[in-house]
């Protein structure tokens, strides 16, 4: 197990190093959330200092904001910079068309907003995240929901054939509350043959703030493997 963790952490870090090479002087970037992104934030902080870069970042969570502050990365907000040059983010599952499931860290809504605001979306992950079809290995789709609507959305998810579970957190009793003050439903759909259609149907439910299905958004994936990083690019 320890051995496994070693290569996974190296793979995450190596993928992060490749992504940070895309950051140039005067870039405004989005920074996702999670354990892989933590490596990218640290590396970006070093790069900004070493190369004296004027870079600003929009963090997608309190986790990333605090890391950005720790590593000396100037932060900004979308109201000041509504167009971003690139976003670097992690993922929970990546299919062959580079569609994603995201949100096991609970930051999916802000992550999708910065991805949509960006010229280029770069995803970094270790190779365990690669899947033939989204939903493999009982991977749920995280859905951010207004607390007022949680029971209503639960019923609608069941009607779509999903098995919804309200996410409960460590360190607190009751539902996880996102950085936006909402709840997360983890919805199990089995194999998702048509992610675009499922995304449309879930988004149409009143009370759904955002889903963790990122369809057709990714430009580049750096996939950390045992001894190398594989670069995958979306076919345009
Ligand atoms: C957070 C996310 C993360 O990018 C995703 O959960 C991957 O996290 P990690 O790098 O820790 O595996 O979507 O909302």
């Amino acid at each position: 197990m320890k051995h496994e963790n070693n290569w996974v952490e190296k793979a995450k870090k190596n993928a992060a190093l490749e992504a940070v090479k895309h950051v140039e002087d005067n870039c405004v970037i989005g920074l996702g959330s999670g354990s892989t992104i933590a490596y990218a934030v640290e590396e970006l902080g070093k790069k900004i200092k070493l190369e004296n870069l004027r870079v600003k970042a929009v963090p997608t969570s309190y986790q990333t904001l605090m890391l950005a502050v720790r590593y000396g990365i100037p932060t900004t907000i979308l109201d000041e910079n509504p167009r971003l040059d690139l976003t670097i983010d992690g993922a929970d599952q990546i299919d062959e068309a580079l569609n994603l499931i995201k949100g096991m860290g609970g930051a999916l809504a802000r992550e999708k907003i910065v991805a949509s605001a960006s010229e280029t979306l770069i995803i970094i992950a270790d190779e365990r995240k690669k899947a033939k079809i989204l939903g493999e290995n009982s991977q749920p789709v995280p859905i951010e929901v207004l607390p007022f609507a949680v029971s209503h959305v639960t019923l609608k998810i069941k009607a779509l054939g999903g098995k919804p579970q309200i996410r409960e957190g460590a360190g607190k009793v009751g539902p996880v509350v996102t950085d936006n003050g909402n709840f997360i439903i983890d919805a199990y759909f089995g194999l998702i043959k048509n992610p675009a259609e499922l995304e449309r149907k879930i988004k149409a439910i009143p009370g759904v703030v955002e889903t963790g299905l990122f369809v057709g958004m990714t430009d580049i994936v750096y996939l950390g493997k045992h001894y190398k990083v594989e670069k995958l690019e979306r076919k345009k």
Side-chain angles (χ1 to χ4, degrees):
M1 190 62 191
K2 190 146 194 269
H3 180 69
E4 147 116 338
N5 284 343
N6 277 343
W7 85 257
V8 170
E9 292 312 310
K10 273 189 204 142
K12 289 179 187 182
K13 185 169 181 175
N14 289 337
L17 296 185
E18 289 304 317
V20 169
K21 288 182 189 164
H22 288 258
V23 179
E24 293 171 358
D25 199 17
N26 289 315
C27 266
V28 186
I29 68 169
L31 285 174
S33 303
S35 60
T36 316
I37 279 303
Y39 288 115
V41 177
E42 183 175 355
E43 186 58 26
L44 181 60
K46 286 187 202 156
K47 180 174 162 128
I48 288 174
K49 212 168 179 185
L50 202 70
E51 299 176 23
N52 214 6
L53 299 181
R54 284 152 298 182
V55 168
K56 285 187 279 186
V58 178
T60 52
S61 61
Y62 290 123
Q63 177 218 17
T64 306
L65 171 63
M66 288 158 100
L67 285 171
V69 170
R70 183 191 303 167
Y71 293 112
I73 301 170
T75 59
T76 182
I77 53 174
L78 278 179
D79 297 308
E80 275 174 352
N81 294 279
R83 289 209 184 87
L84 304 177
D85 296 298
L86 83 137
T87 281
I88 303 173
D89 202 349
D92 299 300
Q93 212 164 54
I94 305 162
D95 75 7
E96 288 177 338
L98 309 190
N99 297 319
L100 314 172
I101 293 180
K102 287 185 46 54
M104 294 312 286
L108 60 125
R110 294 188 193 189
E111 288 171 341
K112 198 181 274 187
I113 293 164
V114 296
S116 166
S118 294
E119 192 73 34
T120 305
L121 174 60
I122 300 177
I123 295 298
I124 52 177
D126 65 82
E127 70 171 334
R128 299 169 311 162
K129 305 291 182 69
K130 194 83 179 66
K132 259 197 154 0
I133 298 182
L134 294 181
E136 267 175 30
N137 301 321
S138 306
Q139 170 64 51
V141 177
I143 303 167
E144 183 159 345
V145 177
L146 282 179
F148 178 81
V150 74
S151 300
H152 166 71
V153 176
T154 295
L155 285 180
K156 294 284 187 185
I157 295 292
K158 282 184 185 159
L160 290 179
K163 290 197 184 80
Q165 233 171 56
I166 298 171
R167 192 182 297 176
E168 303 226 342
K172 166 187 176 297
V173 289
V176 165
V177 178
T178 69
D179 291 355
N180 311 309
N182 296 316
F183 292 170
I184 301 271
I185 291 177
D186 290 311
Y188 295 80
F189 287 98
L191 296 182
I192 302 168
K193 301 230 169 76
N194 189 337
E197 187 183 35
L198 183 60
E199 158 76 349
R200 259 196 314 278
K201 287 181 174 166
I202 302 172
K203 279 296 286 274
I205 303 170
V208 167
V209 175
E210 196 47 84
T211 91
L213 285 167
F214 285 45
V215 180
M217 298 185 91
T218 310
D219 296 293
I220 297 171
V221 173
Y222 287 111
L223 202 63
K225 302 188 158 190
H226 272 79
Y227 298 106
K228 61 173 184 170
V229 176
E230 187 183 359
K231 182 179 185 184
L232 308 168
E233 283 180 272
R234 178 156 59 105
K235 295 181 186 84
K236 304 213 170 156

